Amino acid sequence: MATLRSFGEGLTVAVIGAGGGIGQAVARQLCEDPSVETVLGFARRPIPAAHGKLSTHTLDMLDEDAVQKAAARVAGGKLSLVFVATGLLHDPDSGLQPEKTWRSLDADALARVYAVNPTGPVLIAKHFLPLLARDGKSVFAAVSARVGSISDNGLGGWHAYRASKAALNQLLRTLSIELARKNPAALCVGLHPGTVDTGLSKPFQRGVADGKLFTPDHSAESMLSVLDGLTPEDSGNLFAWDGQRIPF
């Protein structure tokens, strides 16, 4: 079980995307953390409050009015952690798939992937960054991806997903610069969760090496442990589940 020891005690935390595989696991880990007092779970659809610490709410992160109202629900206006666990790679209902060639590029698909992957999290940041605690360590973290690293791209393909996560990484870096001026003890970072056994990765697990397909709980615990070890000097960067800093 991960613990946020470096954040202090009596923490209030928020998980955006708490209905997904990673988001559910992060919320579970935080509910079991003795340092955490309240977990606010936000999801597109209603989810059960499976723990006494967990308070659940519906939220469409692409509806800015709804995001603003969600932020207003934070009692006392003080959060030690905002964890954004959202993302879009494919959608079997609409036929959206990661592109293998530029011939598959589609404007509507690009717009949808960009809406979910960078735009949603940055709207959350707009309204939740001001709620980060100022009396101790606090973090805004969003799940990104190693494939969003421009310098690490040696395979090509997956144009929309790669580019949207690269955009997210740039936005997080830019947000971190402003955050450092307004709340010097706070961090804004991206996290690569590894390849996690969820619906997002399910069609693409065939080539995953032994031991590299993680359960949601393993990934969540690893990422929270990484966050526990970070300092303000790490703000603005992208970190893998094992603590490795991933170059942009």
Side-chain angles (χ1 to χ4, degrees), residues 39-90:
V39 180
L40 304 172
F42 296 92
R44 284 182 299 162
R45 299 180 182 86
I47 55 174
H51 193 284
K53 292 182 181 180
L54 180 61
S55 172
T56 62
H57 312 271
T58 57
L59 174 64
D60 178 357
M61 68 177 181
L62 298 180
D63 180 345
E64 188 171 358
D65 287 341
V67 173
Q68 187 174 23
K69 290 175 182 176
R73 290 194 187 102
V74 178
K78 187 172 73 172
L79 293 169
S80 294
L81 173 64
V82 179
F83 195 105
V84 183
T86 58
L88 175 64
L89 174 60
H90 66 96

Side-chain angles (χ1 to χ4, degrees), residues 109-125:
L110 283 164
R112 185 176 175 199
V113 173
Y114 267 80
V116 174
N117 289 343
T119 303
V122 83
L123 288 178
I124 297 294

